[in-house]
Amino acid sequence: MPSMARALFELTRLHWFPVGCDFMFWPFAWGFLSAAYHVALPMSHVVKNILFYYTGCVINDILDRDFDRKVERSKGRPIASGAITRTDTSILLAALITAIFYMFSTAGSIAFTLSVVGLPDKKDDEKAGVKSMAVRLCAGIRPVLSLFDVAFVVCLLFAGYLNSQRLPFYVISVIALFLLCLWHIWSFDHNDPKDRWKKFTAGRHGAAMVCAGLVVDHYFKLASLTV
């Protein structure tokens, strides 16, 4: 059984850094760079949004502790395995929430991810009575994720229109991203855990493309103003 410090560390998923927290960071980065067209924002927002992710992991493990014990992938998590007590968890959660509220008070995102990481839990979910996406959709997971991809792209197009983005944004952040997401959705192997994890973590590449398009677009906008 791991030490308490190690268990608390794993509870926040810090041992997986940057996997996980980057999915919380990227949507913020999109908004941050989009807003740079008009206003300046403090970089403390970066830390605040990453803290949201770690706090969410703790809350998730508290609420799902009984289900986690029945799922092979999650039964070793600190709360489910009994490595830490509810009191220890509550103290950590209070500290994280306090840090977030402090940053809100001194400074004043909704993340969208397409994940295939939960698919291997299908059999465990059925035994535990969890109505997860993997259980409900099963073989239809690819068409549904494709619809989410289309909806996401539509939102990007609308956001680009509202923010007066230029061609680089639409080419890099929208079209290229859409094709990459489709490739991830339709190419991952249901029966290969390594491939599922590879496609899951590769989501950061698409997220970075949105940022790249915004940065390139902003560069050309600034360049045009100096001509």
Side-chain angles (χ1 to χ4, degrees):
M1 184 175 291
S3 65
M4 181 182 295
R6 175 66 184 181
L8 291 172
F9 188 76
E10 292 181 358
L11 181 61
T12 60
R13 310 294 197 276
L14 271 167
H15 61 301
W16 282 358
F17 184 87
V19 176
C21 69
D22 55 348
F23 287 105
M24 191 69 188
F25 164 78
W26 288 118
F28 153 78
W30 305 339
F32 189 94
L33 291 171
S34 296
Y37 266 53
H38 309 288
V39 297
L41 295 175
M43 288 303 294
S44 62
H45 284 275
V46 175
V47 179
K48 181 172 64 180
N49 279 269
I50 292 177
L51 277 175
F52 276 135
Y53 170 75
Y54 292 133
T55 304
C57 288
V58 175
I59 294 174
N60 173 80
D61 284 10
I62 292 174
L63 297 178
D64 287 353
R65 59 187 180 278
D66 293 331
F67 288 119
D68 283 344
R69 297 187 182 103
K70 303 175 183 178
V71 177
E72 184 65 29
R73 183 175 60 88
S74 59
K75 66 181 183 181
R77 288 176 178 173
I79 299 177
S81 65
I84 55 175
T85 65
R86 290 188 182 182
T87 301
D88 299 328
T89 307
S90 299
I91 293 173
L92 175 61
L93 180 60
L96 289 169
I97 292 176
T98 300
I100 291 173
F101 273 100
Y102 174 77
M103 296 191 74
F104 265 115
S105 65
T106 55
S109 106
I110 298 176
F112 176 85
T113 61
L114 295 179
S115 170
V116 298
V117 76
L119 288 174
D121 300 336
K122 182 177 180 294
K123 292 183 179 179
D124 291 328
D125 288 348
E126 289 174 340
K127 292 178 181 178
V130 178
K131 305 299 182 182
S132 64
M133 181 178 290
V135 173
R136 289 182 179 274
L137 299 178
C138 195
I141 189 72
R142 297 182 199 272
V144 172
L145 290 178
S146 297
L147 288 176
F148 284 147
D149 187 21
V150 171
F152 181 45
V153 167
V154 170
C155 290
L156 283 176
L157 287 170
F158 186 56
Y161 167 74
L162 292 177
N163 207 42
S164 301
Q165 302 289 166
R166 302 186 180 196
L167 184 60
F169 169 79
Y170 294 104
V171 173
I172 302 173
S173 302
V174 180
I175 298 176
L177 173 67
F178 176 66
L179 296 176
L180 179 65
C181 286
L182 283 182
W183 178 72
H184 283 166
I185 292 169
W186 289 94
S187 66
F188 76 86
D189 186 351
H190 277 275
N191 302 312
D192 186 351
K194 290 184 178 180
D195 185 63
R196 286 193 302 263
W197 183 253
K198 181 180 178 181
K199 294 300 192 301
F200 172 68
T201 55
R204 64 168 64 96
H205 300 154
M209 287 173 64
V210 178
C211 288
L214 287 164
V215 170
V216 173
D217 196 356
H218 194 46
Y219 170 78
F220 280 109
K221 178 184 177 182
L222 293 177
S224 66
L225 295 177
T226 60
V227 175

